[in-house]
Amino acid sequence: MTILDSLTEALSRLPGIGKKSAVRIAYYLLQADSAYNERLATEIRELKNRIRRCSVCGNYTEHDPCDICTDPSRDRATICVVEQPQDVAVLEASREYRGLYHVLGGVISPIDGVGPEDLSISTLVGRLHEEGVQEVILATNPTVEGDTTALYLVRMLEKRGVKTSRLALGLPVGGDIEYADRLTIARSLRGRTPLSADE
Amino acid sequence: MTILDSLTEALSRLPGIGKKSAVRIAYYLLQADSAYNERLATEIRELKNRIRRCSVCGNYTEHDPCDICTDPSRDRATICVVEQPQDVAVLEASREYRGLYHVLGGVISPIDGVGPEDLSISTLVGRLHEEGVQEVILATNPTVEGDTTALYLVRMLEKRGVKTSRLALGLPVGGDIEYADRLTIARSLRGRTPLSADE
């Protein structure tokens, strides 16, 4: 097996990369600038050494605690709970949220043998008191497991007098009503927002 | 900029990889087996050092001359002329061809300032005599530039008494007549093959 075949095989294991895309990328790298290939190789090799989990929120970071947890300009009274570190990046990209985060590391899923004790819930409870948290936004995915996990957390947080909320469900911006599924339409109707001519 | 952002940026320059796929791949690598990342990094770094062009046919290879040029079981009387090294891999995958190859390194394209002198045509002419070639299959792409290049080579090869042929044009196997373009349909009619009940 040549290095070209071996690299193609390795690339085709990446998510979203099939056999044909892998071949295309391998030939692209053959003709690419050596400095680019060197940089890509170095960053792939270094990635796992440089990135760790923040000991406070569980997000991926190069420094512990992470930049969000140590940012003095962020609202420390609000925590947004997400399933995965990727979700933090997506929420940050919206530039709408200025509070802190907490990464659960998964969702409650009996079928996969994941219970509340497998998620970083005890560190969340620890933070509530320590940081004087007033509101927890439950930003788990709108799936059966995400909803179950949110419900579990709501019950636990209510007992501790913390306000909870969940991300709104409805039509995606730029979406088409014609192609929206029945459940999304139902939720968008139930959560409809009043309009005023002033806005 | 963190290494995660930098790697995402580098990955998004690869063909067929957009911003979202790059993010997905970067997070996949964060959770991947370290041995896999190490292998991927090493192969990307080594690729350009290990792969060169075959001095005979111009194909990518780890040894010069390449495995195809030195294979004693191949038919040395037939040469298949292609535009790019990638095309050799595609033709080989069909397992239909047992002759040799010649990579032009492009096509005649006046608009891009590419003339016959920019392609490896003189080495092809050298091989005709040396290797006792009887047939040259012109496997340039069925585009204006590919056709022009094939026509140029046919004229040159005929003068030297070498038989030439071109890949058949027609419907792709598994394709749908309904979605075939006008020109492909016309070529598939012109090149129709007689049927017999014996086959």
Side-chain angles (χ1 to χ4, degrees), chain B residues 61-177:
Chain B
T61 179
E62 289 189 38
H63 330 279
D64 186 21
C66 74
D67 290 345
I68 295 174
C69 286
T70 55
D71 184 344
S73 76
R74 302 204 62 127
D75 166 21
R76 312 195 76 79
T78 315
I79 288 185
C80 178
V81 173
V82 296
E83 295 182 15
Q84 301 292 349
Q86 290 91 306
D87 303 333
V88 173
V90 173
L91 284 157
E92 282 296 285
S94 77
R95 296 170 178 269
E96 180 72 25
Y97 180 67
R98 294 297 302 163
L100 304 176
Y101 290 95
H102 192 83
V103 179
L104 290 176
V107 272
I108 297 171
S109 173
I111 212 165
D112 301 312
V114 181
E117 66 285 359
D118 299 310
L119 307 176
S120 61
I121 292 177
S122 58
T123 52
L124 173 62
V125 174
R127 292 178 72 188
L128 296 180
H129 186 70
E130 253 171 58
E131 306 186 29
V133 174
Q134 281 160 22
E135 180 177 357
V136 171
I137 302 172
L138 298 159
T140 51
N141 289 327
T143 58
V144 174
E145 292 81 7
D147 288 343
T148 306
T149 308
L151 195 64
Y152 176 90
L153 290 172
V154 165
R155 284 179 185 150
M156 202 194 66
L157 293 166
E158 270 182 358
K159 279 189 237 162
R160 287 169 173 82
V162 177
K163 206 170 84 180
T164 54
S165 60
R166 189 110 173 81
L167 293 187
L169 294 171
L171 298 170
V173 175
D176 196 322
I177 292 178

Side-chain angles (χ1 to χ4, degrees), chain A residues 2-3 6-7 9-10 13-15 17 27-28 31-32 36 38-39 41-43 45 48 60 62 86, chain B residues 2-3 6-7 9-10 13-15 17 27-28 31-32 36 38-39 41-43 45 48 60 62 86:
Chain A
T2 67
I3 189 171
S6 177
L7 176 60
E9 193 277 320
R13 291 202 221 163
L14 295 172
I17 309 282
Y27 279 107
Y28 173 87
Q31 282 155 9
Y36 168 77
E38 186 63 31
R39 172 187 154 192
T42 305
E43 290 182 350
R45 175 168 288 144
K48 290 187 68 158
Y60 285 135
E62 289 190 37
Q86 290 91 308
Chain B
T2 67
I3 189 170
S6 177
L7 176 60
E9 193 278 319
R13 291 201 219 162
L14 295 172
I17 309 282
Y27 279 105
Y28 173 86
Q31 282 155 9
Y36 169 77
E38 186 63 30
R39 172 188 155 191
T42 304
E43 291 183 348
R45 175 168 288 146
K48 291 187 68 158
Y60 286 134
E62 289 189 38
Q86 290 91 306

Side-chain angles (χ1 to χ4, degrees), chain A residues 44-110:
Chain A
I44 290 172
R45 175 168 288 144
E46 285 296 311
L47 185 67
K48 290 187 68 158
N49 299 332
R50 294 256 297 270
I51 303 275
R52 63 202 72 200
R53 303 296 283 266
C54 170
S55 59
V56 179
C57 71
N59 190 17
Y60 285 135
T61 179
E62 289 190 37
H63 330 279
D64 185 22
C66 75
D67 290 345
I68 296 174
C69 286
T70 55
D71 183 345
S73 76
R74 302 205 61 129
D75 166 20
R76 314 195 74 80
T78 315
I79 289 185
C80 179
V81 173
V82 296
E83 295 182 17
Q84 301 293 348
Q86 290 91 308
D87 302 334
V88 173
V90 173
L91 284 156
E92 281 298 283
S94 76
R95 296 169 177 273
E96 180 71 26
Y97 180 67
R98 294 297 303 161
L100 304 177
Y101 290 94
H102 192 82
V103 179
L104 290 176
V107 272
I108 297 170
S109 172

